[in-house]
Amino acid sequence: MTDIFVFGSNLSGVHGKGAARDAYLSHGARYYQAQGLQGRSYAIPTRGKWIPESRTFHDLSFEKVKRYIAEFVMFAHINPHLRFNMTRVGCGNAGFTDTQIAPLFKEAPSNVVLPKEWETYAGR
């Protein structure tokens, strides 16, 4: 089974901090690719696009983040030969909480390995 590192990204695909930087440096994530499988990693957008004037990112609504997570869960279901090692997507720079994000993975298949902090919230 191939291990895939799952991280939170921004819609600009600038993988400069946290787990996104780790994905770029160690797991084949590609700059300017904001979503999906890339190398041995999978990006789930949890932040908006980069705003150069303010040197920050647009926020993504919780509803949009939920949709990106649902797309990932569907991808995991149709790729049982891959093992997805989740980071706490959305719970760092994006500012969401474990109690908001973890339950969104309740329908994730067994090939999605959740962070220990999420197991209770996700019903595992």
Side-chain angles (χ1 to χ4, degrees):
M1 187 172 280
T2 302
D3 284 306
I4 305 296
F5 182 80
V6 182
F7 67 100
S9 70
N10 58 69
L11 290 178
S12 295
V14 177
H15 308 312
K17 289 185 178 179
R21 182 169 170 75
D22 291 344
Y24 174 71
L25 294 174
S26 301
H27 301 282
R30 295 182 196 97
Y31 252 73
Y32 310 117
Q33 184 175 336
Q35 182 180 13
L37 190 64
Q38 40 192 296
R40 291 175 278 87
S41 66
Y42 187 102
I44 299 175
T46 57
R47 297 193 80 188
K49 289 195 175 202
W50 176 250
I51 309 166
E53 308 81 58
S54 62
R55 301 186 54 77
T56 189
F57 290 92
H58 277 290
D59 290 331
L60 273 186
S61 71
F62 184 66
E63 289 304 311
K64 286 185 181 175
V65 172
K66 278 174 58 173
R67 280 186 259 149
Y68 287 122
I69 290 172
E71 288 176 22
F72 163 75
V73 169
M74 187 179 351
F75 184 84
H77 275 287
I78 63 175
N79 288 281
H81 61 286
L82 301 175
R83 180 176 35 232
F84 298 95
N85 298 305
M86 296 296 306
T87 61
R88 292 173 55 240
V89 298
C91 297
N93 294 323
F96 297 104
T97 65
D98 292 317
T99 57
Q100 289 174 296
I101 299 294
L104 303 177
F105 290 89
K106 280 186 179 180
E107 302 300 320
S110 62
N111 61 328
V112 175
V113 180
L114 298 177
K116 295 235 182 280
E117 299 92 340
W118 286 8
E119 289 175 356
T120 301
Y121 301 116
R124 290 196 179 174

